[in-house]
Amino acid sequence: MHPRLLRAARALVAAGTCVLFAACNSDDTTAPKKPAAGTFTVDATTKFAYVSLADSAVVSPTPRAGESTAWDIALFSTNVTLNGGQAGPGGVVGYCICQNSSQNPSNAQWLAMTPESEKADFDAVTSVPAGASFVSDVLTPAIRGWLTGSGAAAVASPDSVYFVRLSDSSGVAKLHVTQLQGATATSAGRVTLEYAVAQNGQTAFGATQTATLDLTTGAKSFDFQTGQTTTSATAWDLRLEGFTALVNGGVSGTEKGAATKVTGTTFAAATPASTSPNAFRIDAYAGVFGTSRFYKYNLANDNRITPTFDVYLIKRGAKVYKLQITNYYNATGQARFITFRYAQIAG
């Protein structure tokens, strides 16, 4: 055969081989993508860190988190949110295996747990347990339990006392609700508050004051500094909507407001030192991480966060990931640097 014809014939054979086996340089030879897995630390010190588990990356949701499907899980301080339910359009749901919490360990046993000692529990999870019930996230206000009953039968719970961090973080107000008048099916009616304010550094609260917010005409925002309701979008500390109390921080506001329930004392006896600053919480969306928290607080009377090392399952569509939070501090001991490990498992 003429050399030129021989070269052409060989080229045709080679082309046929490429079509048959899809193994030529011009074809995609990328290996199948491995299920997502990894261990990394997110900076949750000042705002939510949004993580895509499928991409093993921190992402920036646009235009805002509640409208973005780019993230699966978000972490800020001790708050963990999944992109589903009221929190976002991703359809992400969660379930806690809670292999440690279900055993009700002692404080000493909790403190003895380490990332190394608890890895076996993480590795043991390879599929979704039978009967696992996944839940979506809902709004979880920092102030809860300020009333009992529902609808027209709702009444105030004056023994429930709260500290509310002011929206500009300049101080704290102590608060309880003393009376509800004219509650309806959709509103707590006229809500009477009793409160007092202390600026940062003060060891005692100022004079006790009262205010009544009339919710029969709609939601009301209140400024503890001025003692007045306000229509400002930013300069408010407490907002009452129907039967919900909100603070000006987290998912409810743009400022630094937060709150915590005060235990072990009465409204009259509560002082600014009655609650640690670490106990304050923002309004957040939460589901399984709200009902089954990933941490224990102050086990050694040192105001530190101790992980439970419980294993959670995060489900998005057909994909399921196991996740275990293993640390709340970085190498220098700074808080809110959250380390977790995760891996995709069989659905």
Side-chain angles (χ1 to χ4, degrees), residues 77 163 165 200 258-260 272-281 297 303 336:
S77 182
F163 281 177
R165 188 169 67 210
N200 291 338
T260 183
S274 298
T275 297
S276 166
N278 290 334
F280 282 86
R281 297 187 60 81
Y297 175 66
N303 294 326
R336 299 186 179 185

Side-chain angles (χ1 to χ4, degrees), residues 6 29 83 95 306:
L6 181 59
T29 59
N83 189 354
Y95 170 75
T306 300

